[in-house]
Amino acid sequence: NEELVKEFDLKLKTPSGFYVHEVDKRSSAQLGGILPGDVIIEINKTKISSYEDIEKTLKLKKVGDKVEVKVNREGKEMII
């Protein structure tokens, strides 16, 4: 939301996404390259705007399945 964008001085091209505050050590997210401060915009080309969106998108995936995650990191969009 707009408050988080201002509070964390996020440089977003799109106003939606899920802000990653913390990443557990040795988690799939960390091993996949997600960093604190990233804003997850899409997973497998599905737009993300909440944690619930992430859960819905990943619930049918199995351990070891590869996913494409589009993030905004310090104002630059990238796929990891």
Side-chain angles (χ1 to χ4, degrees):
N1 67 25
E2 288 184 38
E3 291 175 18
L4 286 175
V5 171
K6 289 178 186 175
E7 181 179 345
F8 293 102
D9 191 30
L10 302 175
K11 295 160 183 71
L12 302 177
K13 293 180 181 180
T14 57
S16 64
F18 179 80
Y19 178 77
V20 179
H21 179 71
E22 187 176 318
V23 180
D24 292 337
K25 290 183 180 184
R26 296 187 208 116
S27 66
S28 297
Q30 184 192 42
L31 295 173
I34 302 289
L35 299 176
D38 284 350
V39 177
I40 299 173
I41 302 167
E42 295 178 2
I43 298 176
N44 289 342
K45 308 228 186 273
T46 299
K47 301 260 187 233
I48 300 297
S49 61
S50 67
Y51 186 74
E52 291 76 24
D53 291 342
I54 294 172
E55 286 182 319
K56 280 190 255 180
T57 304
L58 297 178
K59 79 177 184 180
L60 298 177
K61 297 293 178 193
K62 297 178 193 126
V63 173
D65 284 353
K66 299 212 183 265
V67 295
E68 183 177 277
V69 181
K70 185 176 187 179
V71 300
N72 181 302
R73 182 176 290 162
E74 297 179 359
K76 296 179 184 170
E77 290 185 3
M78 61 182 66
I79 294 179
I80 53 174

